[in-house]
Amino acid sequence: MAQLPSAAVDFARFLAGLTARLDRRSGWLAVFLERDPDGMGACLAGSELPPWDVVDALLQDLAADQGAAAARTEAATARALHAAATAAHDGGPGAAAALARRLDVMLRERRYTAERLQELAAHRATATTEEAAAALDVDLAWAEDDHRRATARCAELRARADALAAPATPAPPPAAPERPTSQAKPRKRPRGGARFAGIAEEAAEPAGPAPVAPAPATAVRGARFAGVAEPAGEPAPPRPGPEEARAAGGAVARLHALRAQDRGGEAHVLLAELAGWPAPRLPLLAAELHRAGLEADWATLLWEVATLPPAALVAAADALAAAGRGADARQLLRQGVARPAPEIADALHLLTGDGRERQARALAGAYLAVRSPEDAAGVARSDPDRLVPLLLDAARGVSEERHWDLVHAFRVAGVLA
């Protein structure tokens, strides 16, 4: 521990003291020790930092064991030490690349948990006995917890990556995750799932070159989120009509009812279904969700949309921008381009091959706004003749500086003479 940053040592000591006060045979601590003993050990040693939702869950254990007052006293200390340890971990060499890898892993985990929720909900709807329904309800509760934690961790990792890309802006502390509706101790989990620190998953990734640190995000220019002009002849995104408005209102009413009945698993399944709706309905869903006080569900829906195929992702962002929700459109694209370079290259091939040049430029512009020029060179390498001109043109829509940085990166990578 002597070689670790002092902030990491301080938090590890706090975490060890907190877990020493808890019963290792019950509560969330027992769950974490069972699901990821190596990860928990690394966090106690200070070499890894647990996501904030894990710390919060341990504070819930403390509240259940020793009272809410004891947990409140420790929570303020926990937040301060966790924030300092985060800054220490992210200040080390290779931190940006490590965050990018972990975010990729957690985004895939989040997609898996969403699929798991849909599968379990389908089984629950066809359960023929009370015993089967009760067992599936337990599985659904755990799957919802996995999905909620994966969503919170994606947001936490993205905030850390953004803070590294813009070091002049102080990194905000994590927004606390939604607490369970009761203080009851968690039941024993019947099967595995996402390990809380993402350590084992990252180690299991196939070997390959580490991603380059993301470049500072640049403000987007122009009427569209990508800062590129509308090519002549390409229609604007269609305007939603009364049918779309009625559908959005009905969907949000169903979601509100599910939340009121504490049927969270079915609510997540509905959100996953809504992500696949036609793009013009997305701004209507945003308005209805905010009107109903379901802002957290809007954030979850954006994450779901960000996992769509790139063409659908760009169409959704386009619809949000056209409806005056530019900030949501940019956030959606930033989340959506957290994909490996080959996937971005394939998407650009598909869009340009179908004659959707504006959408291709929009996707390229979003990628260039948050990823490094070296990452873009990896995208261009699959087809320099087609992708180099596209990426250079999109880079001009980001900034002149980004354009010249990209020219240099392409020359270094050998994809531009």
Side-chain angles (χ1 to χ4, degrees):
M1 246 190 221
Q3 298 179 352
L4 293 171
S6 60
V9 174
D10 290 343
F11 181 77
R13 286 174 177 161
F14 169 83
L15 190 65
L18 175 62
T19 55
R21 299 166 66 182
L22 303 175
D23 184 354
R24 292 187 168 227
R25 298 166 298 178
S26 63
W28 288 112
L29 178 58
V31 172
F32 298 143
L33 288 171
E34 178 184 352
R35 296 173 73 184
D36 192 8
D38 292 339
M40 196 68 189
C43 293
L44 291 170
S47 57
E48 288 291 341
L49 185 69
W52 176 254
D53 69 273
V54 171
V55 183
D56 187 69
L58 295 176
L59 290 170
Q60 292 176 41
D61 280 356
L62 185 65
D65 287 348
Q66 301 181 21
R72 281 195 299 270
T73 299
E74 296 294 350
T77 303
R79 280 193 176 279
L81 292 176
H82 190 270
T86 298
H89 276 276
D90 293 351
L99 283 173
R101 288 195 299 272
R102 191 159 294 180
L103 180 58
D104 284 343
V105 171
M106 195 50 64
L107 285 169
R108 287 194 292 274
E109 180 63 37
R110 190 180 180 283
R111 286 194 289 270
Y112 167 77
T113 58
E115 292 168 0
R116 175 69 176 155
L117 270 172
Q118 288 182 297
E119 175 188 344
L120 288 171
H123 287 310
R124 176 64 177 82
T126 59
T128 56
T129 66
E130 290 186 6
E131 291 79 6
L136 285 166
D137 284 340
V138 173
D139 287 350
L140 271 168
W142 280 114
E144 183 187 359
D145 182 72
D146 282 341
H147 188 70
R148 183 170 57 244
R149 289 184 188 279
T151 299
R153 292 166 196 180
C154 285
E156 184 177 344
L157 290 167
R158 169 58 66 192
R160 290 170 63 184
D162 287 348
L164 272 183
T169 303
E178 178 183 348
R179 288 180 178 272
T181 55
S182 72
Q183 290 295 326
K185 295 238 178 172
R187 286 171 283 186
K188 184 177 177 65
R189 181 180 173 83
R191 56 175 58 85
R195 292 179 178 169
F196 69 83
I199 300 167
E201 290 90 337
E202 184 176 326
E205 289 294 296
V212 183
T218 307
V220 189
R221 299 188 283 124
R224 292 275 175 228
F225 42 82
V228 296
E230 295 279 352
E234 268 203 56
R239 297 274 183 184
E243 180 183 348
E244 283 79 8
R246 285 193 295 272
V252 173
R254 294 198 305 275
L255 182 65
H256 194 279
L258 291 171
R259 290 298 188 198
Q261 297 168 33
D262 199 23
R263 293 158 65 185
E266 293 170 78
H268 277 84
V269 171
L270 177 56
L271 286 170
E273 293 174 359
L274 296 180
W277 273 18
R281 295 184 180 182
L282 193 58
L284 298 174
L285 286 169
E288 292 290 341
L289 286 167
H290 283 84
R291 189 175 297 117
L294 299 175
E295 289 84 359
D297 282 319
W298 170 241
T300 299
L301 181 57
L302 274 184
W303 276 110
E304 295 289 350
V305 175
T307 66
L308 293 174
L313 167 71
V314 174
D318 209 2
L320 287 170
R325 305 190 72 93
D328 285 335
R330 290 189 291 273
Q331 179 182 341
L332 177 60
L333 285 171
R334 283 197 303 271
Q335 293 170 177
V337 296
R339 308 171 188 232
E343 287 189 29
I344 299 296
D346 289 345
L348 294 175
H349 276 289
L350 174 65
L351 292 170
T352 55
D354 287 348
R356 291 178 282 179
E357 295 293 334
R358 182 183 57 76
Q359 289 188 329
R361 288 191 177 113
L363 182 64
Y367 188 81
L368 292 168
V370 299
R371 302 297 287 265
S372 73
E374 290 78 11
D375 289 337
V379 172
R381 193 173 286 115
S382 66
D383 187 356
D385 290 342
R386 178 185 294 188
L387 297 183
V388 165
L390 171 66
L391 289 163
L392 288 175
D393 188 35
R396 290 190 183 95
V398 176
S399 71
E400 194 64 27
E401 181 182 3
R402 180 51 51 87
H403 172 257
W404 287 113
D405 288 344
L406 196 59
V407 169
H408 175 71
F410 282 175
R411 286 175 176 163
V412 170
V415 296
L416 181 67

